[in-house]
Amino acid sequence: MVKTKIKNIIKGFKTPEARWARFGPYYAMFPVDFAFDVINKYSKRGDHILDPFAGRSTSIYAGGALGRHGLGIEINPVGWLYGKVKLNPAPKQDVVDRLYEIYDKRNYYNRAIKKLPEFYRICYCDDVLKFLLFARKNLDWKNDDVDSTLMSIILVFLHAKLGEGLSNQMRMTKSMGMNYSVEWWKANNMSSPPDVNPLKLMLKKINWRYEKGMPKIADSSVLYGDSTIELENINAEKKFSLLFTSPPYYSITDYHADQWLRLWMLGEEDKPKISSVKHKGRFFNKKNYYDLLDNVFGSSSKLMKQDSVIYIRTDKREFTLNTTREILKKHFPHHKERILYKPITKSTKTQTKLFGDKSLKPGEVDIILKR
Ligand SMILES: C[S@@+](CC[C@H](N)C(=O)[O-])C[C@H]1O[C@@H](n2cnc3c(N)ncnc32)[C@H](O)[C@@H]1O
């Protein structure tokens, strides 16, 4: 029964849970089948699961789909929004009605689009750009369920392969730089944006997502914030039995720069910049990296049951791996450690190798702690 349920989610799109499971392109996400495997193997129905570096909430969603209650925390609004929505999407008709409202008012932005940098004018046709600007100013994506659902679906299709989203040719998972994109479009004879009708495209995408109905997810949530702060405020009546997460890898990904265009859509500036905010840029300061993991795993350890399982996927590189192991040992001194090295092969889908990123990566490691 459970095996069939999982199979139907990880293969194909036959059930509502399958339709939402992969929701939200994000650069360093868990493969969905891996998340379901871990949840199934290391927890049972009714258990509570914690993920303090939730990303697009793959872990929490897999838990919820299998009757576990999850709590995620994510500092990047793009990842947070994907997670929040997939755990509890707003009813379809409300989302469609709101889409019409936004689309109908797009001409308020007739003049504003002309002031945007060249990148936007090549990336999007005028109708799309007006629609995006109105949505960007008016959707209350942080507080309103309907608006967050509509905004998250816009984010998914904000950039994609030509013909699959709202944009000119782009990668879906990662936003490429502004100048790089403009030069690339020009060099490849693509300096006019594709003619896309945003209403039609969005309706098509909404219909597909909801076609099988609403996903049934056990009561779960994801907080928007910094785990070094949020974990301190959690008063878990029922302690967590599985800590299942993947921290940022030292010096590898900059989750904010990689998502700059989606962050613009959520209200940030129209030009990408390297974030200097703590925990938001690339993690290249060894002490800060150590302190982040020490703080988050330290606070998490206080919320876990004695016989909890800790499942951490991380980078195989020496500094990240050694730091993570040392900190986990410090906060879970009575747990026994097992390490699973993932040998890297041509077909290995590492979190950072997905979607056409073919650069050689040293692979990943799973650290499993049990009593
Ligand atoms: C390796 S990714 C996790 C991906 C996730 N497993 C998924 O399937 O999408 C690490 C995440 O940690 C987040 N992060 C980094 N520092 C954080 C902090 N202090 N509090 C909360 N989230 C943080 C990053 O924004 C990033 O999304």
Side-chain angles (χ1 to χ4, degrees):
M1 194 45 194
V2 177
K3 282 213 170 119
T4 315
K5 184 166 191 181
I6 296 179
K7 202 173 128 221
N8 283 336
I9 297 174
I10 62 181
K11 288 214 168 85
F13 296 100
K14 278 187 281 195
T15 65
E17 288 77 20
R19 293 268 159 139
W20 288 90
R22 293 162 195 80
F23 185 70
Y26 201 61
Y27 189 57
M29 53 208 174
F30 281 153
V32 172
D33 50 351
F34 160 74
F36 274 87
D37 271 0
V38 172
I39 296 286
N40 191 34
K41 195 161 173 196
Y42 294 101
S43 67
K44 54 184 191 318
R45 281 188 86 79
D47 274 358
H48 289 249
I49 292 163
L50 179 65
D51 184 347
F53 298 110
R56 63 170 190 170
S57 283
T58 327
S59 57
I60 304 299
Y61 184 86
L66 297 179
R68 282 72 162 160
H69 303 287
L71 176 65
I73 306 171
E74 176 51 52
I75 203 169
N76 184 314
V78 176
W80 171 76
L81 195 57
Y82 291 150
K84 174 200 185 284
V85 169
K86 67 157 74 103
L87 294 172
N88 194 13
K92 178 183 167 187
Q93 197 51 51
D94 295 350
V95 179
V96 169
D97 291 349
R98 188 70 170 129
L99 169 65
Y100 274 99
E101 262 176 49
I102 298 287
Y103 180 72
D104 286 347
K105 294 189 176 140
R106 69 196 182 288
N107 286 330
Y108 290 11
Y109 284 84
N110 262 338
R111 264 186 293 167
I113 59 169
K114 301 201 170 96
K115 294 188 198 132
L116 283 168
E118 188 187 19
F119 166 87
Y120 294 87
R121 309 302 307 275
I122 304 184
C123 193
Y124 302 111
C125 67
D126 287 3
D127 225 25
V128 169
L129 210 42
K130 287 187 277 181
F131 166 75
L132 292 179
L133 286 189
F134 194 86
R136 180 173 179 267
K137 281 277 181 227
N138 291 281
L139 288 179
D140 183 9
W141 55 270
K142 271 190 206 157
N143 305 303
D144 182 278
D145 287 349
V146 175
D147 284 11
S148 49
T149 305
L150 178 57
M151 180 56 104
S152 67
I153 301 175
I154 295 175
L155 287 190
V156 171
F157 298 101
L158 192 62
H159 49 88
K161 254 175 54 194
L162 199 58
E164 290 179 14
L166 295 158
S167 72
N168 204 336
Q169 175 71 23
M170 294 269 274
R171 274 165 74 169
M172 196 178 210
T173 316
K174 182 175 170 174
S175 330
M176 303 312 281
M178 263 185 155
N179 295 341
Y180 173 89
S181 304
V182 169
E183 278 166 28
W184 192 90
W185 288 322
K186 288 185 175 168
N188 287 278
N189 249 342
M190 289 183 167
S191 32
S192 306
D195 195 8
V196 176
N197 178 324
L199 179 68
K200 266 197 192 157
L201 183 110
M202 290 300 297
L203 281 173
K204 188 172 143 202
K205 302 299 182 189
I206 293 170
N207 283 335
W208 183 86
R209 195 67 64 179
Y210 284 87
E211 197 178 287
K212 305 287 174 189
M214 295 290 264
K216 285 194 188 62
I217 304 295
D219 198 16
S220 299
S221 58
V222 53
L223 305 175
Y224 175 33
D226 182 339
S227 281
T228 62
I229 298 162
E230 300 296 335
L231 283 166
E232 295 291 330
N233 301 326
I234 295 169
N235 183 3
E237 279 168 25
K238 272 209 171 149
K239 290 208 164 188
F240 297 92
S241 49
L242 175 63
L243 172 63
F244 177 26
T245 195
S246 176
Y249 300 173
Y250 173 71
S251 180
I252 303 242
T253 315
D254 184 331
Y255 301 94
H256 274 67
D258 289 346
Q259 293 291 344
W260 74 265
L261 191 52
R262 294 190 170 102
L263 290 167
W264 164 75
M265 191 59 207
L266 294 180
E268 291 195 9
E269 284 175 40
D270 60 18
K271 291 196 187 71
K273 61 175 190 339
I274 305 245
S275 178
S276 54
V277 179
K278 212 172 169 190
H279 307 152
K280 284 199 171 181
R282 201 176 292 273
F283 294 81
F284 54 76
N285 176 309
K286 288 191 172 168
K287 182 171 180 321
N288 286 351
Y289 186 76
Y290 185 99
D291 289 348
L292 169 69
L293 296 200
D294 191 29
N295 183 315
V296 171
F297 289 132
S299 305
S300 299
S301 70
K302 297 182 191 125
L303 300 169
M304 304 304 296
K305 282 183 174 170
Q306 241 192 13
D307 60 350
S308 57
V309 175
I310 316 302
Y311 199 113
I312 312 294
R313 171 159 284 189
T314 194
D315 183 17
K316 204 166 156 186
R317 266 170 257 225
E318 206 183 340
F319 179 73
T320 304
L321 179 58
N322 291 347
T323 305
T324 312
R325 288 181 69 186
E326 180 188 320
I327 290 168
L328 288 172
K329 213 165 244 160
K330 172 174 160 193
H331 296 296
F332 298 96
H334 304 297
H335 280 62
K336 279 204 183 71
E337 182 198 60
R338 203 174 121 223
I339 304 264
L340 287 181
Y341 286 93
K342 310 260 128 192
I344 191 129
T345 64
K346 267 194 183 159
S347 61
T348 305
K349 285 199 253 161
T350 69
Q351 291 183 45
T352 43
K353 198 183 148 199
L354 291 167
F355 292 98
D357 181 358
K358 297 200 180 66
S359 53
L360 193 67
K361 299 286 186 332
E364 284 155 351
V365 171
D366 290 350
I367 307 171
I368 307 158
L369 305 184
K370 280 169 82 175
R371 287 291 287 252

